[in-house]
Amino acid sequence: MLPQSSTAGNFEPKFYTGGGTRFYLPLLHDIMALEKPALVVALCLADAQAHLSFCQTAAQQNILSRCAAIRRATSAW
C-alpha cells in the first residue's frame, strides 16, 4: 500500500504512447519519488515509457540519480 503522500494520481508523463506499460507509470513515479535511488537501471524495455518516467520524476523531484536503460535488440532473421 502506498503512503498517504502518494502523488501517483497527479503524475502526467511527458512521453506517452499508450500500451500496457501506461498502467505502471504512476507506480514507477511513486517508487522513484519515495525511494530516491542514486541509480536506476531499466532492463528489457518493450518501449521507453518506463525509463523516461524514471528520468522525468528524477528531474521534477530534484533527485540526484543516474537513469540507464538496457534493451536487447531482436535479430532480423
Side-chain angles (χ1 to χ4, degrees), residues 40-47 51 67-73:
V40 174
V41 179
L43 303 174
C44 301
L45 298 172
D47 56 33
H51 171 70
C67 298
I70 299 173
R71 180 174 182 242
R72 183 177 146 186

Side-chain angles (χ1 to χ4, degrees), residues 4-36:
Q4 293 297 329
S5 63
S6 172
T7 59
N10 299 328
F11 179 66
E12 293 185 29
K14 292 184 179 185
F15 182 82
Y16 179 76
T17 61
T21 307
R22 73 181 182 272
F23 298 112
Y24 298 98
L25 299 181
L27 174 63
L28 298 177
H29 164 78
D30 273 0
I31 291 171
M32 183 76 173
L34 292 171
E35 295 298 321
K36 298 176 181 18

